[in-house]
Amino acid sequence: MKPFSDGQAANDEFQSANQGLQRGELVRDLLRQRIRCPDLPPDSLTRPDFNTRLGQALGHAGILFLEAPAGFGKSHALNAALAARPEGSPAPRWVSLTGQDNTPVRLLTLLAMAMDLPDALESALQSGASFADALGVLLMAWNRAHGDEQQVLVLDNLQSLTNPAVVSLVQQLANDMPASMALALVSRHGLPFQGHHLELDNRFVRIGPEALAFSRPETFAFFRQSSVSDSLTSVAIDRLYDLTEGWPTPLALYRRELQHHQERRPIQDCPAVERFLKETLLAPLTHPQLRALRRMAELEVASDELFLAVQPDDEDGALIPSDACERGLPVLPVPGRGRWFRMNPLLQEVLRGQRQAGFEQRMVAACRWFARRNQFPEALRYALLAGDGDEVIRIASDSSEALLLGQDTASLLSLRRSLPVTLLDRSVRLRIVYGWVHAIGGQFREARSLIGDLSDTECAENRTRLAALSAFIRRGEGQVWPALADADEALSGGGLSLQGQLVAQMVRASALCAAGQYGEAREANRAAARLAREAGDAGSEALAVYTHARIELGKGALRHAEQLLRTALDTAMQELSRPARIGETRLILNLALVLWHQGRLDEADRLLIHGGRHAEQSRDVGLLLAMALRVLICRTQGQLDDAFVWIGRAERTMHAWQVDEAMFVPVLEALKATCWLAQRQSDSAAHALERLRPYRDSGCVPELFPMMPGLIDCLEVRVHLARGDGVQARKVLSAAAGRHGEAMPRGVMLYTRLLDVLLLAEEKGPSVARRALQQTLDLAASEQFVSPFMELRDELQPWMEKALGQLADSPFKNALTKLFGLRREPATVSGALPEPISDREQGVLELIAQGLSNQEIADKLHISLHTVKTHARRINAKLEVRSRTQAIVRARELGLL
């Protein structure tokens, strides 16, 4: 049998290419022009963390695969990372491939020239060696020439190679390359050969478009470092990021346009950006493919099944979403939603510029597809786009409050302005549905206006529905007791649907939690969870878990809250084809809140990237929680300028979303006060607290921040302490304790006890203060409650070193030691376990502690799912526990985490 690399198969379309090109015909001088590292633009964005990540992937025999659509700066990012290596590192061997390299001899010649081994190749081929053997000779010659000296070989534009004989040579190179070589592959398409064995060997790292794209802060830095910074406001840069999602090439082309032209146009109208999209992305497509892509752009998100239902008359050669993704177009998988895809908003905006024939019929088909699956927000959205008033009213009559509550309503809110007034007048149910849409979006005044002028008859017919909606609105406005009264009325009125009862019980649970009545709140939450299960609505089940976790957080049970949130997220991830749901975003953001309370800032930061992006895309007002946590993390890390930037960004976003001020102003003013105090500007902090007075006097308790009243009391105490007025500080602290009593959330209680320590130091001396501090540390240690210490880091600094010395070694002690910058004795666990945890098991254990599922751990460590489960069983056996949660707790007790 002849070797595969000889290309002798009778039906091989590359047979002539594999045979016909003789070595003497190659023009080596021309090929040498393709073996050089591209130049770096002088004004490129510096990304040190990303450079480090790429550099670490290029270790001994490591393979880095950069895969993303055109314009994501793959080559540029790799070049920047290689340039950032230590001085004296060998220059990379960079090969830029083209479609002309689809012959084995041509590829081998390029490799030999890049490796400075042309004679070795010539000798091998002249002796009659097969292509595979010739490559093997090259690799052996390389190993002899370089020994242990680390070198990087880059194959750029890998998608150009389509000849199976050539692809097999690249696979052989990846499999057999010596330890002194690292290989970087750059492609718009997926890996053209199987690479799972490389992943299992921990030699393979894939970097995709989500990592290559600029983050929001990087987008700001990209424009701020150039001469156009004065012509672009923060709002404009925010809008650019939203439209491009950090797509580097369009952003770079637009920045260049601004530098050379005084007139500022939208990025989608920029000629250079238009040319890039048309020439690079759209020109290679056939007419049927381009037509299919335009129809794809009509849908917010699409699966292959939905797209084929919308376009049943599939043309030969047309694209479906998964094909578009695999072809390297910016149609990317939606994280956590199985085989669903979404188009980059910039390309979507351009393709939507001209509506195609049959648009209304396709929207009706999409509407019915979603309606059959009880996904009413999406069904209603496409009915509105189709202009089908009868279908809109039918869906509004069939849908329910709980379905709207559990799902993404952002698209419905964006269509509100185009909704015909006559359509609302025709259907009371549609007005109630849109009342819910506005209420979920934080637009409470707009929600009230929709239902405020209903006739007495209409109000009587929908009394319990309207009571449930009113309860939700009042709870969103921070009115605890009125919301509770409306929820009780909705439940006692009779005739309320299963889903309506669910909404009312969730409002009751939230209001009772805010009032500190945790036992009654838990009973209401149990009822809500039972109703969600009966309704079969996974979105509302997620919100019921979210409410339960909030109750546990108020009680101070951080570990239980973390377990609830992680379990719910693991459960949600099993439903691969589910629609986007606000409930899951809230789970992620509240898990980040729990981690922040425990001082696990790096873990919280990673969750905020994911959860914040989802909240922004779905227009979930939970984004306010994500931004507030960003402020608190920046303040803890001493980055106060960044903290104020996040406050400004949150304020702009809430105004842009037209969210009622009652929902966000108290939160942002409290954040300003804590940042002013960190800057020792007590007068500015006092002014911020003064602006909070109307909300305090009205008893406002924001739904997202039920601890707010107690925190404001603590901030007022701190202002008086900063001014040296201990008497007034004690008066305010005593009043707060009397007002909240047993209902005070545990986090606030610890905060007040630490303030009491500071006051006792002045009133009764250091020894009394130290005893009080030690008692507070003991109370906080059980749940690793670090956040109150973060708030008072500067004030407590003189007291902490001696106090921490009396604490037993634990993650809590380690977190406080790091927070206060104290010297930490190295922890040892030798002898703590009969059988020690291995290095590989330690890696799995750390990822378990980060909340990753078994499949995510397998993907991250490039090992099989079976291997992960085996490691997890061994970890549980060695730690003598039975569950992941117990393993995390035990590992932290032993100092393994």
Side-chain angles (χ1 to χ4, degrees):
M1 180 179 292
K2 294 184 179 180
F4 175 74
S5 58
D6 285 344
Q8 298 298 317
N11 61 349
D12 186 356
E13 62 176 304
F14 294 100
Q15 181 175 346
S16 59
N18 293 344
Q19 287 183 327
L21 185 63
Q22 299 301 314
R23 296 184 299 280
E25 299 173 19
L26 294 173
V27 185
R28 288 190 172 85
D29 288 340
L30 291 177
L31 292 181
R32 282 197 182 89
Q33 300 301 314
R34 305 238 311 278
I35 303 174
R36 64 185 184 89
C37 195
D39 295 328
L40 275 174
D43 56 351
S44 59
L45 179 69
T46 303
R47 307 173 73 183
D49 292 341
F50 193 48
N51 290 343
T52 301
R53 181 180 175 187
L54 297 187
Q56 289 173 344
L58 292 170
H60 290 283
I63 301 172
L64 172 64
F65 181 48
L66 291 154
E67 176 199 356
F72 273 84
K74 303 178 289 294
S75 303
H76 176 92
L78 177 59
N79 195 6
L82 293 171
R85 292 182 302 169
E87 189 174 350
S89 298
R93 316 298 182 100
W94 195 294
V95 180
S96 298
L97 300 167
T98 70
Q100 297 177 330
D101 301 324
N102 270 300
T103 64
V105 172
R106 181 104 167 192
L107 177 66
L108 287 171
T109 302
L110 283 169
L111 291 176
M113 295 174 69
M115 298 162 72
D116 291 331
L117 297 169
D119 294 339
L121 174 65
E122 189 72 21
S123 174
L125 292 176
Q126 284 181 354
S127 66
S130 66
F131 297 135
D133 290 341
L135 179 57
V137 170
L138 278 179
L139 295 178
M140 286 189 292
W142 169 280
N143 201 27
R144 287 195 301 270
H146 295 281
D148 294 331
E149 184 185 14
Q150 188 68 26
Q151 301 270 350
V152 177
L153 175 65
V154 180
L155 298 184
D156 201 353
N157 298 319
L158 187 66
Q159 74 278 353
S160 302
L161 303 184
T162 55
N163 181 349
V166 174
V167 170
S168 71
L169 288 176
V170 179
Q171 183 175 15
Q172 179 187 345
L173 173 64
N175 290 337
D176 300 342
M177 65 182 191
S180 60
M181 178 186 288
L183 179 63
L185 304 173
V186 183
S187 178
R188 295 182 187 178
H189 300 167
L191 197 66
F193 53 84
Q194 294 181 2
H196 61 273
H197 59 289
L198 300 172
E199 297 189 53
L200 292 174
D201 290 340
N202 287 329
R203 294 176 50 211
F204 184 91
V205 174
R206 177 192 176 275
I207 302 291
E210 65 284 346
L212 287 159
F214 292 165
S215 64
R216 187 180 295 273
E218 286 175 333
T219 303
F220 270 79
F222 183 66
F223 283 94
R224 290 293 185 230
Q225 72 181 20
S226 70
S227 59
V228 303
S229 58
D230 295 335
S231 63
L232 281 180
T233 64
S234 296
V235 174
I237 299 176
D238 255 334
R239 171 62 181 156
L240 279 174
Y241 179 79
D242 290 339
L243 192 57
T244 63
E245 295 183 340
W247 198 356
T249 294
L251 289 172
L253 291 171
Y254 187 60
R255 187 178 73 169
R256 187 176 183 278
E257 170 90 2
L258 295 178
Q259 289 171 334
H260 292 86
H261 299 87
Q262 293 183 348
E263 181 186 1
R264 181 154 69 90
R265 290 172 281 202
I267 187 171
Q268 62 268 32
D269 296 335
C270 170
V273 174
E274 286 184 338
R275 286 194 299 272
F276 162 71
L277 295 176
K278 290 177 181 177
E279 296 170 5
T280 307
L281 293 177
L282 305 180
L285 301 179
T286 64
H287 287 298
Q289 289 171 341
L290 183 56
R291 192 177 301 114
L293 198 65
R294 290 187 183 279
R295 292 178 180 178
M296 233 176 277
E298 296 170 349
L299 304 169
E300 283 298 311
V301 294
S303 65
D304 291 347
E305 182 185 357
L306 169 61
F307 187 71
L308 291 173
V310 169
Q311 183 177 276
D313 53 334
D314 188 24
E315 302 175 86
D316 290 339
L319 289 173
I320 58 176
S322 59
D323 289 340
C325 179
E326 291 171 5
R327 287 179 62 93
L329 292 167
V331 178
L332 304 176
V334 180
R337 289 190 63 184
R339 297 293 289 173
W340 284 79
F341 302 87
R342 58 187 294 275
M343 188 176 291
N344 181 275
L346 176 61
L347 179 61
Q348 191 173 40
E349 186 84 8
V350 171
L351 292 175
R352 283 177 174 177
Q354 187 174 2
R355 182 172 290 187
Q356 295 189 89
F359 173 80
E360 289 78 9
Q361 291 84 348
R362 289 191 293 278
M363 297 302 99
V364 169
C367 163
R368 292 172 180 169
W369 190 90
F370 281 112
R372 287 194 298 271
R373 290 156 178 80
N374 293 330
Q375 296 176 20
F376 289 106
E378 288 87 350
L380 186 56
R381 177 183 186 278
Y382 287 108
L384 288 166
L385 287 172
D388 190 336
D390 292 337
E391 188 73 7
V392 168
I393 292 174
R394 186 191 66 77
I395 293 170
S397 299
D398 292 344
S399 63
S400 66
E401 297 90 343
L403 286 169
L404 281 171
L405 186 66
Q407 299 183 17
D408 171 18
T409 57
S411 55
L412 295 182
L413 200 56
S414 66
L415 290 170
R416 173 67 174 86
R417 291 182 180 178
S418 60
L419 196 67
V421 177
T422 55
L423 198 59
L424 286 170
D425 292 339
R426 286 171 55 191
S427 172
V428 175
R429 281 289 185 87
L430 184 59
R431 297 179 77 167
I432 294 175
V433 166
Y434 256 99
W436 279 102
V437 170
H438 284 291
I440 293 168
Q443 299 177 357
F444 305 120
R445 287 192 299 272
E446 192 69 29
R448 289 184 187 282
S449 70
L450 274 174
I451 59 175
D453 57 352
L454 295 177
S455 68
D456 292 342
T457 302
E458 290 169 335
C459 288
E461 291 174 351
N462 296 277
R463 184 172 68 87
T464 53
R465 284 180 175 271
L466 292 172
L469 176 55
S470 177
F472 185 86
I473 291 172
R474 285 182 161 172
R475 183 65 196 98
E477 292 173 332
Q479 302 178 45
V480 174
W481 299 111
L484 197 57
D486 282 345
D488 288 340
E489 179 186 348
L491 289 167
S492 63
L496 191 62
S497 67
L498 186 70
Q499 292 83 6
Q501 295 174 52
L502 165 61
V503 175
Q505 291 288 8
M506 291 179 70
V507 171
R508 287 190 76 248
S510 174
L512 289 166
C513 178
Q517 299 180 17
Y518 300 118
E520 294 179 47
R522 183 69 184 101
E523 287 301 318
N525 175 251
R526 286 193 184 97
R530 183 178 62 253
L531 290 165
R533 287 192 295 271
E534 290 178 19
D537 179 14
S540 293
E541 283 192 60
L543 282 172
V545 176
Y546 156 76
T547 306
H548 185 187
R550 303 285 285 187
I551 295 169
E552 297 302 319
L553 183 57
K555 291 161 56 179
L558 295 183
R559 300 184 193 279
H560 189 197
E562 180 182 357
Q563 180 184 4
L564 285 169
L565 294 165
R566 292 196 186 279
T567 301
L569 285 169
D570 284 346
T571 302
M573 290 299 292
Q574 306 307 314
E575 191 185 352
L576 295 179
S577 61
R578 68 194 187 284
R581 295 192 179 109
I582 287 175
E584 291 166 32
T585 305
R586 295 290 178 91
L587 294 175
I588 293 170
L589 294 179
N590 275 271
L591 180 54
L593 175 62
V594 170
L595 297 176
W596 172 78
H597 275 302
Q598 293 185 322
R600 296 153 65 183
L601 302 186
D602 291 340
E603 294 176 64
D605 181 72
R606 286 192 291 272
L607 284 173
L608 287 175
I609 293 172
H610 179 61
R613 184 185 297 119
H614 277 262
E616 198 162 9
Q617 291 170 353
S618 61
R619 202 194 172 285
D620 175 17
V621 290
L623 180 64
L624 181 62
L625 175 58
M627 291 182 163
L629 286 173
R630 285 287 185 202
V631 173
L632 295 171
I633 290 173
C634 288
R635 190 215 55 204
T636 300
Q637 295 173 339
Q639 302 167 358
L640 290 169
D641 289 344
D642 290 341
F644 279 108
V645 167
W646 277 107
I647 292 173
R649 192 172 297 171
E651 194 166 16
R652 288 193 302 273
T653 302
M654 295 298 108
H655 280 303
W657 288 1
Q658 299 178 328
V659 175
D660 284 12
E661 290 189 349
M663 191 164 200
F664 69 91
V665 167
V667 177
L668 298 185
E669 291 299 331
L671 290 171
K672 290 176 187 176
T674 190
C675 289
W676 287 127
L677 284 169
Q679 289 189 330
R680 305 182 188 279
Q681 298 189 33
S682 57
D683 289 342
S684 297
H687 290 317
L689 292 176
E690 189 61 33
R691 290 190 288 272
L692 283 169
R693 190 167 299 281
Y695 301 99
R696 295 179 68 185
D697 294 343
S698 66
C700 175
V701 184
E703 193 277 328
L704 286 171
F705 302 88
M707 296 183 187
M708 182 63 67
L711 293 176
I712 293 174
D713 290 331
C714 292
L715 289 172
E716 187 175 354
V717 173
R718 291 181 63 191
V719 168
H720 291 304
L721 281 172
R723 290 174 167 176
D725 190 349
V727 174
Q728 189 61 27
R730 172 60 72 185
K731 187 182 297 184
V732 172
L733 190 61
S734 299
R739 186 165 51 252
H740 297 288
E742 295 296 323
M744 183 179 288
R746 187 179 181 87
V748 177
M749 180 269 289
L750 292 170
Y751 200 162
T752 59
R753 288 182 68 110
L754 290 175
L755 290 170
D756 185 57
V757 168
L758 300 175
L759 287 169
L760 285 173
E762 294 182 6
E763 297 165 350
K764 298 185 178 180
S767 60
V768 176
R770 287 194 189 97
R771 284 197 297 273
L773 176 57
Q774 206 64 51
Q775 292 170 358
T776 306
L777 282 166
D778 292 339
L779 283 173
S782 61
E783 295 289 340
Q784 196 178 326
F785 236 121
V786 176
S787 57
F789 297 88
M790 292 192 288
E791 289 287 325
L792 293 165
R793 180 174 60 180
D794 292 343
E795 293 92 329
L796 292 172
Q797 185 74 46
W799 302 87
M800 291 304 295
E801 185 164 11
K802 187 169 183 180
L804 286 178
Q806 300 180 37
L807 278 182
D809 285 340
S810 66
F812 176 65
K813 180 177 181 179
N814 294 340
L816 289 181
T817 301
K818 181 179 179 181
L819 174 66
F820 288 95
L822 302 175
R823 186 169 51 85
R824 181 169 57 186
E825 296 297 330
T828 61
V829 294
S830 57
L833 293 174
E835 184 179 0
I837 299 290
S838 69
D839 291 343
R840 177 54 62 85
E841 289 166 353
Q842 179 70 30
V844 171
L845 177 61
E846 289 171 358
L847 295 177
I848 288 174
Q850 292 175 24
L852 274 65
S853 67
N854 286 343
Q855 186 60 60
E856 289 171 330
I857 294 172
D859 294 341
K860 193 172 185 68
L861 296 180
H862 310 301
I863 58 180
S864 70
L865 180 61
H866 174 75
T867 302
V868 174
K869 291 179 178 179
T870 300
H871 286 318
R873 283 195 299 269
R874 289 175 179 168
I875 289 169
N876 287 351
K878 291 178 180 181
L879 296 178
E880 299 179 345
V881 297
R882 295 185 177 181
S883 70
R884 291 165 67 103
T885 303
Q886 292 173 349
I888 293 168
V889 172
R890 178 62 175 151
R892 287 190 176 133
E893 290 173 353
L894 294 172
L896 294 169
L897 294 173

